[in-house]
């Protein structure tokens, strides 16, 4: 497995694989890899010839007062895990490589804005976050030139933002989705779960439980979505969470209507200072 840090070297290696007719699979990450990330890499491996995984903690997608400085940087451990699953190339650039000449971590340079969807739910709680995500993913796509890229379904809104700009800006990349990978108590795997204490970890199963309850009720015919959301918020708050939102939406995140056949229930809740995200998709 090669570990490279510069765009120039990456372009050279990618060009030689492309000349040989290889299909390039790509898994963008911010590192601190867990089992969920490794399953994304395995999915990429199963559908392409060469798999590139990027590890880059992107300053542009962190708001003021968020955990950019403290986000765990564990390159050696990540590289070991990637090697074990058979990843071919790790691209781990420095901030200056991705945002050269920037005086402000990319904010003073060209950005990819996906209107509407970037301002609701997570975007309302974290202004600028999805512009930061879309910008770095677009830049990475231009560097890696992948045929396919794999993202986890846990960050459902992020996935919709990426699918939108890929379609609207005509990126020739197929977006593949891996289902949410969960701990045995139902907690969706996330690098930020490392911020939770052992006691908190035991409480976290309640979110998935709540999502399953809401899904069951909708499948059984409940159609007062506002009431279902309100009850779910109350239930989580009663179990020690501070819930930001529980939202029942259409698959494209527009408001849910009774005629929709595909719905998604999205949840964001704090346990202590850790913000936990989860969702469940429903087909009626
Ligand atoms: O999901 C993540 O880890 C990040 O948002 C991503 C897609 C790697 C962009 O920095």
């Amino acid at each position: 497995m090669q570990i490279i840090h510069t765009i120039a070297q990456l372009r050279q290696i990618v060009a030689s694989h492309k000349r040989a007719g290889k299909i390039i699979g790509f898994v963008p990450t911010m590192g601190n890899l867990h089992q969920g990330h490794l399953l994304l890499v395995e999915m990429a491996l199963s559908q392409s010839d060469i798999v590139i995984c990027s590890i880059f903690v992107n300053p542009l997608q962190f708001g003021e007062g968020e955990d950019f400085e403290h986000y765990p940087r564990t390159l050696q451990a990540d590289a070991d895990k990637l090697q074990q699953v058979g990843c071919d190339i790790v691209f781990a650039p420095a901030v200056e490589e991705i945002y050269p000449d920037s005086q402000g971590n990319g904010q003073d340079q060209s950005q990819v804005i996906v209107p509407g969807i970037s301002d609701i739910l997570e975007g309302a709680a974290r202004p600028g976050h999805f512009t930061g995500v879309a910008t770095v993913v677009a830049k990475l796509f231009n560097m890696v030139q992948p045929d396919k890229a794999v993202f986890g379904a846990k960050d459902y809104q992020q996935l919709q933002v990426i699918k939108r700009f890929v379609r609207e800006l005509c990126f020739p990349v197929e977006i593949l989705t891996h289902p949410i990978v969960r701990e045995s108590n139902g907690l969706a795997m996330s690098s930020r779960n490392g911020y939770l204490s052992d006691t908190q970890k035991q409480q976290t199963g309640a979110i998935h439980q709540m999502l399953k309850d809401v899904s069951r009720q909708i499948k059984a015919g409940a159609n007062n979505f506002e009431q279902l959301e309100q009850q779910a918020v109350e239930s989580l708050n009663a179990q020690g969470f501070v819930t930001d939102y529980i939202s029942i939406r259409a698959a494209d995140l527009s408001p849910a209507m009774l005629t929709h056949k595909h719905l998604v229930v999205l949840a964001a809740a704090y346990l202590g200072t850790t913000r936990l995200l989860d969702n469940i998709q429903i087909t009626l």
Side-chain angles (χ1 to χ4, degrees):
M1 187 179 76
Q2 291 168 291
I3 303 181
I4 54 183
H5 302 282
T6 66
I7 299 168
Q9 206 189 347
L10 176 70
R11 282 198 195 286
Q12 244 178 24
I13 295 169
V14 168
S16 75
H17 286 305
K18 293 234 169 205
R19 270 196 304 276
K22 305 283 188 200
I23 306 273
I24 310 282
F26 179 43
V27 181
T29 79
M30 298 206 301
N32 193 26
L33 303 181
H34 50 68
Q35 185 58 21
H37 291 113
L38 300 180
L39 290 171
L40 303 185
V41 173
E42 283 180 3
M43 186 174 193
L45 282 163
S46 73
Q47 304 214 20
S48 37
D49 304 313
I50 297 291
V51 171
I52 302 177
C53 176
S54 65
I55 296 181
F56 178 64
V57 184
N58 172 34
L60 191 59
Q61 71 187 73
F62 288 77
E64 246 173 71
E66 291 187 9
D67 54 348
F68 174 68
E69 262 86 36
H70 302 113
Y71 200 88
R73 280 134 173 112
T74 52
L75 181 59
Q76 192 50 58
D78 292 343
D80 291 347
K81 290 177 189 167
L82 289 169
Q83 181 147 31
Q84 269 174 24
V85 291
C87 180
D88 299 287
I89 298 165
V90 176
F91 178 48
V95 171
E96 303 74 48
E97 188 73 4
I98 300 290
Y99 299 109
D101 308 323
S102 172
Q103 306 302 310
N105 289 340
Q107 270 156 348
D108 53 347
Q109 300 189 340
S110 306
Q111 296 179 42
V112 176
I113 296 167
V114 186
I117 194 173
S118 295
D119 302 323
I120 57 173
L121 303 167
E122 279 311 284
R126 304 180 67 191
H129 170 67
F130 287 119
T131 297
V133 171
T135 301
V136 81
V137 173
K139 284 169 87 101
L140 289 165
F141 281 177
N142 282 334
M143 295 165 194
V144 174
Q145 303 272 305
D147 298 288
K148 302 170 188 221
V150 187
F151 294 86
K154 197 213 91 186
D155 295 307
Y156 187 90
Q157 190 175 358
Q158 164 171 289
L159 188 60
Q160 303 313 309
V161 167
I162 290 166
K163 282 184 176 168
R164 274 262 314 265
F165 89 72
V166 162
R167 192 170 61 242
E168 292 172 2
L169 298 179
C170 311
F171 277 78
V173 183
E174 184 187 349
I175 303 299
L176 306 174
T177 309
H178 192 285
I180 299 177
V181 183
R182 299 184 179 280
E183 305 286 355
S184 54
N185 73 346
L187 172 66
M189 285 193 190
S190 160
S191 297
R192 288 192 170 99
N193 292 352
Y195 297 149
L196 295 165
S197 70
D198 287 346
T199 323
Q200 285 175 327
K201 272 188 192 142
Q202 285 168 15
Q203 292 171 258
T204 52
I207 300 182
H208 185 47
Q209 206 51 53
M210 172 279 294
L211 288 170
K212 285 196 296 190
D213 280 353
V214 174
S215 166
R216 207 174 306 119
Q217 290 182 67
I218 293 176
K219 283 181 173 165
N223 56 18
N224 186 338
F225 294 153
E226 222 172 288
Q227 191 181 38
L228 286 171
E229 290 167 354
Q230 190 52 38
Q231 281 167 355
V233 169
E234 281 164 19
S235 149
L236 276 192
N237 288 352
Q239 294 176 77
F241 294 84
V242 176
T243 306
D244 184 1
Y245 59 78
I246 310 286
S247 189
I248 303 167
R249 298 267 170 160
D252 64 358
L253 295 182
S254 60
M257 290 193 290
L258 296 175
T259 49
H260 284 131
K261 293 278 167 258
H262 299 285
L263 297 173
V264 56
V265 188
L266 302 109
Y270 285 94
L271 195 52
T273 53
T274 309
R275 187 178 176 85
L276 299 168
L277 299 188
D278 204 343
N279 67 79
I280 196 163
Q281 296 181 53
I282 305 169
T283 302
L284 297 170

